[in-house]
Amino acid sequence: MSFLTGLTNLTNWVANVIMPTLAGLMFVIAVLRLSRNAPFQYAMYGGFAALMVSGILRAVETFASQRAWDDPDGVWITLLGLVNWSANVFLPVYGVLQVVVAILHYGGAGFRIYPGAPWARHALSAMACFGLSGLLRMA
């Protein structure tokens, strides 16, 4: 067993076993603190951060496994896959979400929660998401 294999196994174990377990513990602490009317936000944020570590590692493994480990274009293909996923999956979904928020704000929903939130900003953000997604898809 080489040092690199051991380091890879340690990283996988920490990110895929330990961090989700700690996330569950943080969420339990957040619920207990909430029930006692104590500040619970930091424990909740810690739980989400621990879950993000596992998700980010899985995403990096997926993007990096498209090429062999000794391929000199591995970094480029990984970045290209990340941009492709972001432009073709994330931006259209976020654009639809911004259209829904713009319609809700235009209709007056949430005016007591977010006073003065302009609906045009959300519509412009949706247009930017769809436009950037289209441009990157063409490129």
Side-chain angles (χ1 to χ4, degrees):
M1 176 180 263
S2 68
F3 178 73
L4 184 60
T5 305
L7 191 62
T8 303
N9 290 338
L10 176 68
T11 304
N12 284 330
W13 177 72
V14 168
N16 294 326
V17 176
I18 299 301
M19 294 310 282
T21 305
L22 287 177
L25 180 65
M26 292 287 185
F27 288 138
V28 167
I29 291 170
V31 169
L32 290 175
R33 291 183 64 85
L34 174 69
S35 68
R36 295 184 180 140
N37 199 17
F40 65 94
Q41 290 87 358
Y42 296 118
M44 184 179 63
Y45 296 152
F48 284 127
L51 284 178
M52 286 189 333
V53 167
S54 178
I56 288 171
L57 178 73
R58 288 177 189 260
V60 167
E61 285 175 349
T62 302
F63 289 131
S65 67
Q66 296 175 358
R67 294 283 186 176
W69 66 271
D70 60 348
D71 189 6
D73 289 334
V75 174
W76 168 250
I77 297 299
T78 300
L79 288 175
L80 189 63
L82 180 64
V83 170
N84 188 22
W85 182 85
S86 298
N88 294 328
V89 176
F90 178 72
L91 280 179
V93 171
Y94 190 71
V96 168
L97 178 68
Q98 290 298 309
V99 167
V100 170
V101 170
I103 291 171
L104 287 174
H105 276 292
Y106 185 74
F111 70 94
R112 291 178 190 239
I113 299 172
Y114 303 111
W119 60 271
R121 176 175 46 114
H122 297 291
L124 182 66
S125 176
M127 287 188 281
C129 286
F130 295 137
L132 185 61
S133 176
L135 283 175
L136 289 176
R137 190 172 289 184
M138 282 186 351

